[in-house]
Amino acid sequence: MMTPPEEFVARLICHDQKAFRELVIGYQKIAYSMTFRILCNEEEARDAVQDGFVKIWQHLGAYNRHQNLYTWMNTIFIHTALDKLRILKRRNEIRFREVISLIDRFTVETPEHRLENQDLADMIHLLAGKLPTTQRMVFILRDIQGLDSSEVQQMLELSEDQVKSNLYHARKSVRKILTKLMSTERRLL
Amino acid sequence: MSDRKNSGPDDRLFRRVLDKLAQNPPELSDPEGLTEEILRAVSGTPPQRSDRKIRYLRPVSGRILVLQRLLAAASVFLLLILGVEQYGILSDINTLERQSKHAGQTIRNPHPYERLRSRKSGNILSEKLTAHLLLKTNSAGLTHQNPVLP
């Protein structure tokens, strides 16, 4: 996403409610998609977006204008979601039959087919749920959310090498999980 | 995702699943409601001073976590060592106390004079002492009496 105009940022820093409303309307969907992919839970993701915006409002005075506003905001959303993830109760495991039908829905060759939020949450949880937190975050932000490596480095306070190695290990684990699921499915058919 | 190798069918499956996940953002239900909730929450929250910065203590970094665990393990280990050492010292003190109590009942600490007297008569020091006592008795004008030696 592009950097917002200077005048808009100045209004935000002065705690202009109208400008903040515009920011919320324009960015809440992106923030929600990010927190949802981290938390795999609709209600928790919604709460994380709300808490994140409140933190942004509270700390707008501390925002450094040399930094990209959206990167700064994403950092707040990510850490808010991570705090929630730590206290979130363990998710119920998905049953094997549901896993098979879930993979079918994902591998079907119809791009126009809209996937349900629950399917997305289940698939992310299935693939990345057991990864260590850093690997999981790097994988979600880089490969699913599609953020730049430099942005991920800033948001997670990691070096370039750390991002690369975490992404490499995460992809390897995810591939292994998918291969295992597919081989089990093939054996059953 | 340029660093992903494309080789086998598993890689194609991996890419397809990832593309589906990336191209299908979750649907936000009732966005207007969420906007209103956020603005309501914000209106009741005063902005904080600009010198206060958000400080995150690297919650996702493994380094601090490893350090925390190492320190926790080290402290538990030190506590165990302290316990073992304390137990050893206490048992030693008890043994010594028991021994000294027993010794106090059986061994009397004799007076140095008695100790000297108890030595054999051939002992030079004992002879010297006898001579000294004799001399002392004579000079005092008392009747000569040989000290009884054992």
Side-chain angles (χ1 to χ4, degrees), chain A residues 22-158:
Chain A
E22 279 175 47
L23 183 75
V24 172
I25 292 168
Y27 207 74
Q28 65 182 4
K29 279 187 185 170
I30 298 168
Y32 178 75
S33 79
M34 200 154 40
T35 54
F36 178 89
R37 282 161 169 166
I38 293 167
L39 293 161
C40 301
N41 181 303
E42 286 184 309
E43 278 304 305
E44 292 292 335
R46 218 178 152 88
D47 283 353
V49 171
Q50 189 176 330
D51 293 351
F53 272 115
V54 171
K55 280 183 194 169
I56 288 165
W57 173 258
Q58 284 180 315
H59 298 93
L60 267 171
Y63 165 63
N64 177 5
R65 284 197 194 199
H66 299 295
Q67 198 184 356
N68 186 319
L69 178 72
Y70 298 126
T71 308
W72 179 73
M73 282 169 58
N74 285 347
T75 310
I76 292 175
F77 286 123
I78 285 167
H79 284 98
T80 310
L82 270 174
D83 288 342
K84 286 202 176 290
L85 190 68
R86 268 186 228 111
I87 51 171
L88 199 65
K89 283 174 193 165
R90 272 192 71 171
R91 260 179 76 111
N92 292 330
E93 289 302 316
I94 311 159
R95 280 181 294 175
F96 188 71
R97 278 186 188 283
E98 290 169 7
V99 170
I100 299 301
S101 65
L102 182 70
I103 291 174
D104 285 345
R105 283 199 290 282
F106 268 85
T107 49
V108 73
E109 299 269 6
T110 47
E112 69 279 359
H113 172 69
R114 166 98 214 131
L115 286 157
E116 297 289 323
N117 277 2
Q118 194 54 51
D119 287 348
L120 295 168
D122 285 347
M123 187 49 107
I124 295 170
H125 179 70
L126 193 71
L127 298 181
K130 283 180 182 159
L131 294 180
T133 315
T134 315
Q135 283 185 27
R136 178 184 173 146
M137 294 304 293
V138 172
F139 175 71
I140 289 171
L141 296 175
R142 283 282 286 122
D143 280 358
I144 303 177
Q145 195 67 26
L147 296 178
D148 285 345
S149 181
S150 59
E151 248 185 306
V152 177
Q153 284 169 43
Q154 277 184 53
M155 286 191 274
L156 299 180
E157 296 178 357
L158 296 173

Side-chain angles (χ1 to χ4, degrees), chain A residues 15 20-21 24-25 28-29 32-33 36-37 46 49-50 53-54 57-59 61-62 76 79 82 86 105-110 113-115 117 120 123-124 127 133-134 137 139 143-144 156-157 162 171 174-175 178-179 182 186, chain B residues 1-5 9-11 13-18 20-39 41-43 45-54 56-63:
Chain A
H15 291 98
F20 192 73
R21 189 188 183 92
V24 172
I25 292 168
Q28 65 182 4
K29 279 187 185 170
Y32 178 75
S33 79
F36 178 89
R37 282 161 169 166
R46 218 178 152 88
V49 171
Q50 189 176 330
F53 272 115
V54 171
W57 173 258
Q58 284 180 315
H59 298 93
I76 292 175
H79 284 98
L82 270 174
R86 268 186 228 111
R105 283 199 290 282
F106 268 85
T107 49
V108 73
E109 299 269 6
T110 47
H113 172 69
R114 166 98 214 131
L115 286 157
N117 277 2
L120 295 168
M123 187 49 107
I124 295 170
L127 298 181
T133 315
T134 315
M137 294 304 293
F139 175 71
D143 280 358
I144 303 177
L156 299 180
E157 296 178 357
Q162 282 174 317
R171 282 175 181 168
V174 170
R175 266 203 192 95
L178 265 178
T179 312
M182 287 309 286
R186 275 182 217 130
Chain B
M1 293 182 217
S2 56
D3 50 340
R4 262 188 251 145
K5 292 170 193 171
D10 291 331
D11 282 305
L13 169 76
F14 173 73
R15 210 179 310 155
R16 200 181 302 158
V17 170
L18 272 199
K20 282 239 173 184
L21 283 173
Q23 287 160 11
N24 285 279
E27 195 80 23
L28 173 63
S29 59
D30 189 20
E32 292 83 15
L34 181 61
T35 309
E36 290 312 314
E37 278 172 36
I38 292 165
L39 293 173
V42 157
S43 65
T45 316
Q48 287 186 2
R49 281 168 60 90
S50 61
D51 56 339
R52 286 190 63 184
K53 292 194 175 181
I54 306 170
Y56 293 110
L57 294 169
R58 293 173 178 265
V60 288
S61 163
R63 278 175 291 175

